[in-house]
Amino acid sequence: MSDTPGLAIETTGLSRRFGKHLAVDGLNLAVPRGAIYGFIGLNGAGKSTTIRMLIGLLAPSAGSVRIRDTELARDPVAAKARVGYVPDRPTAYPWMRVREVLAFCEGVIPSWSPTLASHLLKKYRIDPRSRIRSLSKGTGAKLSLLLALAHDPEILILDEPTDGLDPIARDEFFEEVLRASLDSPRTVLISSHSLQDIQRATDHLGFLHNGRLIFQGATDDLLSSTKRLRLMPQSPIDDGTLRKLSPDISHIAREGRAVTLTLRNFTPAAAESLRSASHSPVFDIADLSLDDAFKDIVKGMETTCS
Amino acid sequence: MFLTLLRKDWRLAKPAFWLTFSLVFVPPLVGVLLTAYSRIFDNAGPLWRYSNDDHHSLIELFLGGYLMSGLAIPAVAASLLARERRERSHAFLASLPISRSRILASKGVVALMLFAIPTAIAWTTASLSNPSFYGNARMENLFTPLLVETAFFFGIGGLGWILASILPSEVLSSAAALVLAITAFFGVILAFAVVPSLRNIAPGQIEETRNLILIAIYCFFALTGITGGTLISCLRSSP
């Protein structure tokens, strides 16, 4: 694997098998330095398995993970020292008090900053005397963020951190993540089901489907190059014919005579050729939200596979 | 760093340790109270002036307590390994920049320390007591049963260690270690009643042979359990 200076996280052929089930299949993830990377996929797509491999919680069946210039398998301690990890729910010792877990981290993480920890403790309004098991979900998520940030890591990895949080707590949490990425130059990889938040926060995206990366690139590129076309063909036209007209059609939906297409790598010329080939006098082009783009691309993958 | 890990592991194992420790002391304490009670009723002089028989009974109760405390030893191993997995704190620990060998070394040191404290107390007590209390001045009459107890103690600890590194539940791993260790004990007793070659041993040598077999079995459990459990924890793909 080459030492790509621009990448914070790089995986090559990363795979993980659980018995006969291939949960992650030859993943080549490339997270640029300083990016806020949204890692998106349906339940069971392999997001958490991938993240667990990225932070060394799970050994890959094949492939490798590189954190900046350090190969994770070769020097896990040095690689983990660059990463702050926020799990889907707090995993710090539930029987400890907040101040005890902070003291523990101070004792075991050489780059831990007590000043930063106490600053974040005040900022997130966490009572240091509370037992971790008694914290609310929102406060628990903030504590996980604090524990991940207080050693000032270059990379922050968040695995569905807002799962189960109410909308206000979720907003607050995302605000804090964004602020943390602005406070110091930091790469953030975040997986979340909340695509609205992902669209708002991220500048790069990776779509995972059935353990495979089906899209990777800049959020703006995806949203500007993926459009929804609405055609009204004068004579019936089947899906196969449409797909032959353009291989970039990722999803087709029908409502009466109207056909709605999701077109990737959109260009006005490609849209015009579709319109003329389908003899459609009515022709609408609409932008897609990330939510719609993701759904259409995944549905398109499922149609293609079936 | 290592001291912080040790402190954390000590706190993890503390409840199980106190259970072990109290099991060592509860039987002799009950013995002291019963002796005091009987001396009051018998009007047998000051409470603290024990007869030789009282003294021997207390030492036997103390060593019985040590044997009983062995039953709680798998819980110490389980609280160090299985509890971390049940509470998912192993994921927190594994995400920190600490090597897995250091994490395991800390757990191993705490486990050995907690196994060693009751053992040291039992051996010190036995060494300081009158070696003739079994009615025979030969030291081995006291120390051979104590050696069996110590082997049992470490054997069951080793079983607890390997089972806790495989099973995610403290209760299950402790119970399985207990069942295996006790089955081995009764298996040996049964073997002496059933296997012809063992039945033919001269009556004077039966106890010694049985003790030696038990010591060998429990030493095997201890060595394979501690080595196997450590290797499993080091090499497993997910901590």
Side-chain angles (χ1 to χ4, degrees):
Chain A
M1 196 175 348
S2 65
D3 182 7
T4 317
L7 295 179
I9 302 170
E10 186 185 11
T11 72
T12 306
L14 192 69
S15 302
R16 175 68 203 198
R17 188 177 281 283
F18 294 105
K20 286 181 181 170
H21 175 60
L22 191 57
V24 176
D25 184 6
L27 207 66
N28 294 319
L29 206 64
V31 181
R33 257 187 107 181
I36 303 183
Y37 189 102
F39 196 42
I40 304 170
L42 301 175
N43 287 333
K47 301 185 298 295
S48 291
T49 305
T50 306
I51 286 180
R52 289 175 69 203
M53 288 192 280
L54 294 183
I55 52 158
L57 285 181
L58 193 65
S61 307
S64 60
V65 176
R66 205 174 174 88
I67 304 287
R68 290 287 296 126
D69 50 357
T70 311
E71 192 132 354
L72 182 66
R74 202 163 290 167
D75 192 351
V77 175
K80 286 178 194 178
R82 292 166 173 249
V83 177
Y85 168 58
V86 181
D88 52 350
R89 56 190 160 112
T91 52
Y93 296 95
W95 45 269
M96 278 191 189
R97 292 182 193 280
V98 171
R99 62 162 181 256
E100 289 168 343
V101 83
L102 297 183
F104 173 74
C105 288
E106 190 181 342
V108 295
I109 305 176
S111 56
W112 182 265
S113 160
T115 320
L116 182 57
S118 97
H119 166 71
L120 291 172
L121 200 64
K122 276 183 200 148
K123 188 176 171 189
Y124 297 165
R125 298 187 301 277
I126 303 172
D127 182 356
R129 293 164 301 175
S130 307
R131 285 223 188 265
I132 290 173
R133 69 161 68 91
S134 70
L135 297 177
S136 68
K137 276 187 177 172
T139 313
K142 281 182 185 167
L143 177 66
S144 295
L145 185 62
L146 183 159
L147 294 175
L149 287 174
H151 64 109
D152 199 18
E154 284 175 53
I155 300 163
L156 189 61
I157 297 180
L158 304 99
D159 184 10
E160 292 175 16
T162 55
D163 229 21
L165 297 191
D166 61 61
I168 292 174
R170 205 174 63 208
D171 278 357
E172 275 182 10
F173 186 87
F174 266 99
E175 287 299 324
E176 293 305 338
V177 171
L178 284 174
R179 222 167 280 160
S181 66
L182 294 172
D183 285 348
S184 65
R186 209 186 308 272
T187 308
V188 179
L189 182 142
I190 182 164
S191 92
S192 172
H193 284 127
S194 170
L195 296 189
Q196 275 182 331
D197 293 327
I198 289 278
Q199 184 170 359
R200 190 179 53 148
T202 61
D203 48 36
H204 280 75
L205 291 170
F207 288 175
L208 198 65
H209 186 61
N210 291 335
R212 290 181 168 210
L213 203 58
I214 57 172
F215 170 80
Q216 181 168 240
T219 311
D220 289 344
D221 289 351
L222 173 80
L223 295 178
S224 61
S225 67
T226 308
K227 302 281 180 193
R228 189 171 276 172
L229 268 62
R230 193 162 182 272
L231 306 169
M232 193 69 79
Q234 285 186 324
S235 53
I237 183 163
D238 60 51
D239 290 3
T241 313
L242 281 170
R243 284 187 194 281
K244 269 181 204 158
L245 288 170
S246 170
D248 289 328
I249 294 174
S250 61
H251 180 60
I252 303 169
R254 290 171 186 277
E255 195 180 335
R257 273 181 54 219
V259 181
T260 309
L261 310 172
T262 303
L263 193 63
R264 288 177 69 182
N265 303 321
F266 170 86
T267 56
E272 178 52 33
S273 87
L274 270 170
R275 190 200 66 78
S276 61
S278 61
H279 308 291
S280 170
V282 182
F283 179 62
D284 287 332
I285 300 172
D287 286 336
L288 284 169
S289 66
L290 177 61
D291 194 48
D292 289 334
F294 170 70
K295 281 182 201 159
D296 286 357
I297 290 172
V298 167
K299 280 179 198 163
M301 283 296 296
E302 281 175 351
T303 312
T304 314
C305 292
S306 63
Chain B
M1 179 193 278
F2 197 65
L3 272 178
T4 311
L5 285 172
L6 282 178
R7 264 200 300 272
K8 182 268 298 174
D9 284 324
W10 156 243
R11 288 189 65 192
L12 264 177
K14 206 160 61 172
F17 174 72
W18 285 122
L19 175 67
T20 312
F21 203 68
S22 52
L23 282 174
V24 177
F25 285 104
V26 165
L29 191 68
V30 170
V32 167
L33 291 174
L34 285 176
T35 311
Y37 182 76
S38 66
R39 290 176 75 81
I40 290 167
F41 273 84
D42 297 346
N43 200 15
L47 295 182
W48 59 89
R49 203 167 289 166
Y50 290 163
S51 69
N52 249 9
D53 283 349
D54 291 339
H55 180 78
H56 295 157
S57 306
L58 284 178
I59 296 293
E60 280 180 330
L61 279 170
F62 187 80
L63 296 180
Y66 174 58
L67 183 66
M68 271 172 62
S69 71
L71 303 179
I73 272 294
V76 171
S79 58
L80 284 165
L81 293 175
R83 186 179 171 191
E84 290 248 28
R85 283 209 303 285
R86 179 175 57 78
E87 291 178 342
R88 289 190 12 142
S89 49
H90 71 293
F92 170 67
L93 202 54
S95 69
L96 301 177
I98 315 168
S99 69
R100 204 185 279 195
S101 54
R102 196 169 277 200
I103 292 170
L104 275 170
S106 156
K107 290 183 183 300
V109 167
V110 170
L112 282 177
M113 199 176 73
L114 299 188
F115 293 176
I117 290 172
T119 306
I121 292 170
W123 279 85
T124 310
T125 310
S127 306
L128 295 176
S129 70
N130 182 352
S132 67
F133 77 80
Y134 277 96
N136 188 322
R138 289 172 61 200
M139 291 289 279
E140 55 265 34
N141 278 356
L142 170 61
F143 287 113
T144 306
L146 189 55
L147 205 59
V148 176
E149 283 192 25
T150 305
F152 173 78
F153 205 81
F154 279 84
I156 202 168
L159 285 173
W161 187 254
I162 192 168
L163 289 167
S165 68
I166 299 165
L167 303 170
S169 149
E170 299 116 278
V171 177
L172 197 62
S173 53
S174 303
L178 279 176
V179 167
L180 281 173
I182 292 170
T183 306
F185 180 81
F186 284 109
V188 171
I189 303 281
L190 192 68
F192 273 83
V194 175
V195 178
S197 58
L198 293 174
R199 285 175 68 181
N200 292 338
I201 292 173
Q205 289 181 331
I206 286 180
E207 197 177 333
E208 195 180 337
T209 314
R210 197 175 55 208
N211 284 342
L212 285 174
I213 291 174
L214 282 170
I215 289 170
I217 289 174
Y218 288 129
C219 283
F220 172 75
F221 283 171
L223 286 174
T224 51
I226 292 168
T227 316
T230 306
L231 281 175
I232 289 169
S233 301
C234 270
L235 300 176
R236 66 190 309 156
S237 61
S238 165

